[in-house]
mmCIF file of all heavy atoms in Angstrom:
data_model
loop_
_atom_site.group_PDB
_atom_site.id
_atom_site.type_symbol
_atom_site.label_atom_id
_atom_site.label_comp_id
_atom_site.label_asym_id
_atom_site.label_seq_id
_atom_site.Cartn_x
_atom_site.Cartn_y
_atom_site.Cartn_z
ATOM 1 N N GLU A 428 -5.563 -21.409 4.559
ATOM 2 C CA GLU A 428 -5.465 -20.092 5.078
ATOM 3 C C GLU A 428 -4.891 -19.155 4.166
ATOM 4 O O GLU A 428 -4.345 -19.628 3.088
ATOM 5 C CB GLU A 428 -4.574 -20.198 6.418
ATOM 6 C CG GLU A 428 -5.205 -19.778 7.693
ATOM 7 C CD GLU A 428 -5.888 -18.533 7.802
ATOM 8 O OE1 GLU A 428 -5.870 -17.676 6.853
ATOM 9 O OE2 GLU A 428 -6.506 -18.275 8.775
ATOM 10 N N VAL A 429 -4.990 -17.794 4.372
ATOM 11 C CA VAL A 429 -4.529 -16.944 3.416
ATOM 12 C C VAL A 429 -2.961 -17.002 3.017
ATOM 13 O O VAL A 429 -2.591 -16.940 1.980
ATOM 14 C CB VAL A 429 -4.692 -15.373 3.958
ATOM 15 C CG1 VAL A 429 -4.361 -14.338 2.888
ATOM 16 C CG2 VAL A 429 -6.298 -15.320 4.267
ATOM 17 N N ASP A 430 -2.245 -17.412 4.160
ATOM 18 C CA ASP A 430 -0.751 -17.538 3.831
ATOM 19 C C ASP A 430 -0.531 -18.843 3.016
ATOM 20 O O ASP A 430 0.263 -18.780 2.146
ATOM 21 C CB ASP A 430 0.023 -17.571 5.182
ATOM 22 C CG ASP A 430 -0.468 -18.514 6.217
ATOM 23 O OD1 ASP A 430 -1.540 -19.133 5.971
ATOM 24 O OD2 ASP A 430 0.208 -18.726 7.197
ATOM 25 N N LYS A 431 -1.299 -19.917 3.269
ATOM 26 C CA LYS A 431 -1.010 -21.130 2.559
ATOM 27 C C LYS A 431 -1.476 -20.765 1.038
ATOM 28 O O LYS A 431 -0.774 -21.313 0.080
ATOM 29 C CB LYS A 431 -1.889 -22.221 3.002
ATOM 30 C CG LYS A 431 -1.598 -23.519 2.287
ATOM 31 C CD LYS A 431 -2.364 -24.702 2.815
ATOM 32 C CE LYS A 431 -1.846 -25.977 1.929
ATOM 33 N NZ LYS A 431 -2.758 -27.031 1.849
ATOM 34 N N GLY A 432 -2.461 -20.200 0.874
ATOM 35 C CA GLY A 432 -2.969 -19.707 -0.533
ATOM 36 C C GLY A 432 -1.803 -18.985 -1.351
ATOM 37 O O GLY A 432 -1.814 -19.177 -2.534
ATOM 38 N N TYR A 433 -1.054 -18.274 -0.547
ATOM 39 C CA TYR A 433 -0.046 -17.358 -1.253
ATOM 40 C C TYR A 433 1.250 -18.070 -1.475
ATOM 41 O O TYR A 433 1.882 -17.831 -2.358
ATOM 42 C CB TYR A 433 0.163 -16.099 -0.296
ATOM 43 C CG TYR A 433 1.219 -15.163 -0.949
ATOM 44 C CD1 TYR A 433 0.841 -14.170 -1.866
ATOM 45 C CD2 TYR A 433 2.556 -15.219 -0.392
ATOM 46 C CE1 TYR A 433 1.912 -13.381 -2.361
ATOM 47 C CE2 TYR A 433 3.348 -14.326 -0.835
ATOM 48 C CZ TYR A 433 3.112 -13.348 -1.950
ATOM 49 O OH TYR A 433 4.073 -12.490 -2.353
ATOM 50 N N ASN A 434 1.564 -18.906 -0.487
ATOM 51 C CA ASN A 434 2.965 -19.478 -0.377
ATOM 52 C C ASN A 434 3.067 -20.750 -1.254
ATOM 53 O O ASN A 434 3.276 -21.805 -0.699
ATOM 54 C CB ASN A 434 3.282 -19.975 1.137
ATOM 55 C CG ASN A 434 3.961 -18.801 1.783
ATOM 56 O OD1 ASN A 434 4.713 -18.088 1.169
ATOM 57 N ND2 ASN A 434 3.644 -18.693 3.026
ATOM 58 N N TRP A 435 2.967 -20.696 -2.484
ATOM 59 C CA TRP A 435 3.325 -21.820 -3.399
ATOM 60 C C TRP A 435 3.699 -21.301 -4.808
ATOM 61 O O TRP A 435 3.390 -20.028 -5.107
ATOM 62 C CB TRP A 435 2.198 -22.803 -3.528
ATOM 63 C CG TRP A 435 0.893 -22.133 -4.127
ATOM 64 C CD1 TRP A 435 -0.007 -21.405 -3.472
ATOM 65 C CD2 TRP A 435 0.418 -22.455 -5.456
ATOM 66 N NE1 TRP A 435 -0.990 -21.129 -4.473
ATOM 67 C CE2 TRP A 435 -0.793 -21.734 -5.643
ATOM 68 C CE3 TRP A 435 0.819 -23.116 -6.603
ATOM 69 C CZ2 TRP A 435 -1.467 -21.627 -6.911
ATOM 70 C CZ3 TRP A 435 0.142 -23.148 -7.784
ATOM 71 C CH2 TRP A 435 -1.023 -22.266 -7.924
ATOM 72 N N ASP A 436 4.409 -22.056 -5.660
ATOM 73 C CA ASP A 436 4.822 -21.567 -6.832
ATOM 74 C C ASP A 436 4.501 -22.545 -7.964
ATOM 75 O O ASP A 436 4.778 -23.757 -7.851
ATOM 76 C CB ASP A 436 6.339 -21.503 -6.765
ATOM 77 C CG ASP A 436 6.933 -21.116 -8.141
ATOM 78 O OD1 ASP A 436 6.156 -20.337 -8.931
ATOM 79 O OD2 ASP A 436 8.178 -21.461 -8.405
ATOM 80 N N PRO A 437 3.689 -21.995 -8.943
ATOM 81 C CA PRO A 437 3.128 -22.988 -9.977
ATOM 82 C C PRO A 437 4.233 -23.765 -10.761
ATOM 83 O O PRO A 437 4.024 -24.864 -11.027
ATOM 84 C CB PRO A 437 2.394 -22.107 -10.933
ATOM 85 C CG PRO A 437 2.315 -20.645 -10.344
ATOM 86 C CD PRO A 437 3.241 -20.672 -9.184
ATOM 87 N N ALA A 438 5.411 -23.211 -10.757
ATOM 88 C CA ALA A 438 6.458 -23.752 -11.583
ATOM 89 C C ALA A 438 7.266 -24.812 -10.738
ATOM 90 O O ALA A 438 8.072 -25.438 -11.287
ATOM 91 C CB ALA A 438 7.289 -22.726 -12.199
ATOM 92 N N SER A 439 7.035 -24.998 -9.473
ATOM 93 C CA SER A 439 7.795 -25.960 -8.831
ATOM 94 C C SER A 439 6.942 -26.768 -7.926
ATOM 95 O O SER A 439 7.341 -27.695 -7.101
ATOM 96 C CB SER A 439 8.872 -25.250 -7.893
ATOM 97 O OG SER A 439 8.200 -24.418 -7.033
#
Side-chain angles (χ1 to χ4, degrees):
E428 241 306 353
V429 182
D430 51 351
K431 185 177 184 204
Y433 179 82
N434 267 327
W435 63 282
D436 177 27
S439 57

